[in-house]
Amino acid sequence: QVQLVESGGGLVQAGGSLRLSCAASGRTLSSRGMGWFRQAPGKEREFVAILNWSGGSPRYADSVKGRFTISRDNVKNTVYLQMNSLKPEDTAVYYCATGPAYGIDYRQYAYWGPGTQVTVSS
């Protein structure tokens, strides 16, 4: 009952920045966690950042802490991921996800966007 669509991915040089957006529609009132995950070729999907839709402090993976910022716009039903100081190891498909829980395990999330590719060149 929730639809998500990401945008903002692309190709950037190391040290550059990108801002990803995730627009949500449908019955989002029951959603609590709204997070970003990523998956690189040959690797497992990993947690990046998450916020509680109703508010509170967000959580970040150690690998992105200090470089990435997650935020939301309740009017637009959109969550953002500002990515600064990008590194080649950040290259992955980035997905937004939501669900009734608030956690860092991707298995807790029932609704996913199709993903957007982020490529960071050295």
Side-chain angles (χ1 to χ4, degrees), residues 21-99:
S21 299
C22 176
S25 61
R27 297 180 61 85
T28 60
L29 291 179
S30 62
S31 296
R32 296 183 62 188
M34 179 70 76
W36 288 94
F37 298 81
R38 66 187 183 187
Q39 188 165 19
K43 296 184 178 180
E44 294 291 323
R45 188 166 301 185
E46 65 175 345
F47 164 74
V48 176
I50 187 173
L51 58 74
N52 190 313
W53 191 251
S54 64
S57 299
R59 298 178 64 184
Y60 299 94
D62 289 341
S63 60
V64 307
K65 193 173 299 181
R67 299 187 297 121
F68 291 11
T69 303
I70 187 171
S71 61
R72 65 185 175 90
D73 185 330
N74 283 346
V75 175
K76 297 180 179 180
N77 282 338
T78 300
V79 63
Y80 304 96
L81 184 69
Q82 178 66 46
M83 305 185 295
N84 298 326
S85 301
L86 283 163
K87 305 174 181 179
E89 51 262 45
D90 294 318
T91 296
V93 176
Y94 283 70
Y95 302 90
C96 65
T98 190

Side-chain angles (χ1 to χ4, degrees), residues 97-116:
T98 190
Y102 177 76
I104 64 173
D105 187 346
Y106 73 89
R107 298 173 182 85
Q108 296 177 276
Y109 294 86
Y111 303 102
W112 294 84
T116 185

